Amino acid sequence: MSTIFSQIVEGEIPARVVYEDETTMAFLDANPLAPGHTLVIPKDEYERLNDIPDDVATDLYATIHRLIPAVEESVDADASTVAFNNGEEAGQEVPHVHCHIVPRFEGDGGGPIHAIAGDRPELADDELDDIAADIESRA
Ligand code: AMP
């Protein structure tokens, strides 16, 4: 069973496609958070960011890099929030990697990306040191 975004890639369901190349595609979000809200996807189905092979990840970033100014300029935005929901627990509803480019406007009432989390944890310095060392050892 292919994802709804694969069905868009295959032309089986309609979308307002704004860019397409061999490995990536961008189209307007069907339920936009702002005018110009655009999704950028790899054409092949990968559920999470780290499922994407390096060469496709490079292509995906190139398309995001290309689309951000195109989207912002087209709706005369002041800025944009660019984000991935990476996994169901992070709010990902469609299990096919997609980058949200959401145009932002002065006074639009939206928040920063910090608003996604719940209460901030209280972490002691030694806990932060341990976490940093652990991430560094895996990077
Ligand atoms: P996420 O919660 O990150 O998985 O976001 C999925 C996004 O896909 C939502 O913003 C939806 O509005 C959008 N979406 C779902 N179906 C379609 C569709 N057929 N065409 C365009 N956007 C869609």
Side-chain angles (χ1 to χ4, degrees):
M1 176 68 178
S2 62
T3 66
I4 194 154
F5 294 163
S6 289
Q7 294 173 52
I8 289 172
V9 171
E10 295 304 322
E12 293 167 5
I13 61 170
R16 291 186 171 87
V17 177
V18 298
Y19 178 79
E20 180 174 9
D21 61 26
E22 202 178 321
T23 55
T24 69
M25 181 181 255
F27 47 86
L28 294 188
D29 194 294
N31 189 20
L33 295 171
H37 181 175
T38 296
L39 303 177
V40 183
I41 65 165
K43 284 184 170 176
D44 287 343
E45 243 173 64
Y46 304 101
E47 186 167 343
R48 293 197 185 196
L49 278 167
N50 281 77
D51 298 333
I52 303 177
D54 288 353
D55 57 337
V56 179
T58 300
D59 293 349
L60 184 65
Y61 187 76
T63 301
I64 293 166
H65 192 258
R66 179 182 188 126
L67 265 289
I68 290 170
V71 169
E72 288 186 1
E73 287 166 20
S74 83
V75 294
D76 204 17
D78 299 307
S80 53
T81 296
V82 180
F84 294 85
N85 291 321
N86 192 36
E88 197 177 340
E89 298 78 2
Q92 184 178 359
E93 291 175 357
V94 179
H96 184 146
V97 169
H98 49 285
C99 174
H100 293 261
I101 302 174
V102 183
R104 299 296 305 270
F105 304 88
E106 190 178 351
D108 65 11
I113 207 157
H114 304 75
I116 59 171
D119 296 335
R120 290 192 187 218
E122 287 191 20
L123 295 165
D125 281 348
D126 59 340
E127 289 176 280
L128 293 168
D129 290 343
D130 286 350
I131 292 167
D134 189 55
I135 294 171
E136 186 181 23
S137 74
R138 296 167 192 270

